[in-house]
Amino acid sequence: QKEVEQNSGPLSVPEGAIASLNCTYSDRGSQSFFWYRQYSGKSPELIMFIYSNGDKEDGRFTAQLNKASQYVSLLIRDSQPSDSATYLCAVKTNAGKSTFGDGTTLTVKP
Amino acid sequence: EPEVTQTPSHQVTQMGQEVILRCVPISNHLYFYWYRQILGQKVEFLVSFYNNEISEKSEIFDDQFSVERPDGSNFTLKIRSTKLEDSAMYFCASSEYREIPLHFGNGTRLTVT
């Protein structure tokens, strides 16, 4: 089982729609959860982080965490073509190592 | 906003040569990391560094790799004898505390020929 698993994608949504990105993780001791956006050829850029169960909203982005189900998601409301990128889920354990998922490529079509 | 800076942006080397990739983490950060990303693949953890020593390393980080913080600002990754499969983008990252998000540099693209 992969340590961090993301829905394989690619995911395509029309402009203005909600994009839903999902991630599961295997280490129950994981404490911190991050979503990064990576444009082709660029470095990962932090979008959201969440530490506690529940929802966390920041503008058009909402991160959802369910530790019992070992599941974290990212919702992007009112998707824009500029949101087209690969979204990386990262999970940090108590040891401090961040493990990344394979990423989900999102395309927002105008 | 403070940035993690990496040099060079692109390094071409011949197989068997040594390379040193350089990073200047954000100045008040205490935790430093190297990740790599082979073209089209996932971001992979190599090593974390805190208090002048390695705190964790992956199975990728074998004896060919070493890290150093030679002074108060630089953080380097050395690959002693490069192999073709070392060709990748290498990202340096830092964080102020262990739990908080990573700040990534722009990466060094290493090409081994």
Side-chain angles (χ1 to χ4, degrees):
Chain A
Q1 182 187 6
K2 288 183 179 179
E3 289 182 74
V4 178
E5 198 145 3
Q6 295 185 239
N7 46 339
S8 55
L11 178 65
S12 180
V13 301
E15 185 174 354
I18 295 175
S20 176
L21 303 159
N22 303 315
C23 175
T24 57
Y25 59 94
S26 61
D27 184 350
R28 283 199 171 272
S30 300
Q31 296 293 318
S32 312
F33 308 87
F34 309 92
W35 283 99
Y36 290 86
R37 177 176 61 200
Q38 188 177 29
Y39 293 112
S40 182
K42 301 294 186 182
S43 60
E45 170 195 10
L46 181 71
I47 298 296
M48 293 280 292
F49 61 91
I50 187 166
Y51 303 140
S52 305
N53 277 328
D55 295 0
K56 179 181 178 182
E57 191 173 314
D58 183 1
R60 296 186 295 112
F61 299 94
T62 299
Q64 300 174 316
L65 175 62
N66 184 327
K67 288 187 179 180
S69 301
Q70 295 174 240
Y71 172 91
V72 59
S73 66
L74 179 70
L75 299 177
I76 307 174
R77 288 182 300 282
D78 188 24
S79 296
Q80 302 296 308
S82 58
D83 295 327
S84 298
T86 296
Y87 288 80
L88 310 175
C89 172
V91 174
K92 216 173 209 186
T93 64
N94 280 334
K97 180 184 84 169
S98 283
T99 301
F100 284 78
D102 290 345
T104 300
T105 299
L106 172 66
T107 301
V108 181
K109 295 188 174 178
Chain B
E1 187 176 320
E3 290 185 338
V4 175
T5 55
Q6 290 186 243
T7 54
S9 56
H10 191 187
Q11 174 90 47
V12 181
T13 190
Q14 289 191 325
M15 197 167 52
Q17 296 296 303
E18 175 184 286
V19 294
I20 297 177
L21 309 183
R22 302 181 191 279
C23 170
V24 179
I26 295 173
S27 61
N28 64 329
H29 285 190
L30 302 176
Y31 295 84
F32 314 118
Y33 309 83
W34 283 101
Y35 285 81
R36 79 170 186 192
Q37 188 174 31
I38 295 169
L39 187 64
Q41 297 187 24
K42 64 183 285 185
V43 174
E44 298 176 291
F45 170 78
L46 292 178
V47 65
S48 59
F49 192 86
Y50 169 72
N51 200 25
N52 284 319
E53 60 183 27
I54 291 173
S55 46
E56 189 164 357
K57 60 183 180 179
S58 73
E59 56 278 2
I60 302 168
F61 194 88
D62 61 21
D63 291 343
Q64 295 295 326
F65 291 89
S66 62
V67 289
E68 196 176 35
R69 188 155 164 80
D71 53 43
S73 58
N74 290 286
F75 179 52
T76 62
L77 174 69
K78 182 192 290 187
I79 309 175
R80 266 181 265 284
S81 177
T82 50
K83 303 188 279 285
L84 295 176
E85 54 265 37
D86 293 327
S87 295
M89 183 74 93
Y90 288 80
F91 292 110
C92 174
S94 68
S95 63
E96 188 174 2
Y97 302 107
R98 194 171 63 184
E99 293 78 22
I100 74 167
L102 303 173
H103 293 254
F104 281 86
N106 287 330
T108 293
R109 180 165 296 285
L110 176 65
T111 302
V112 182
T113 62

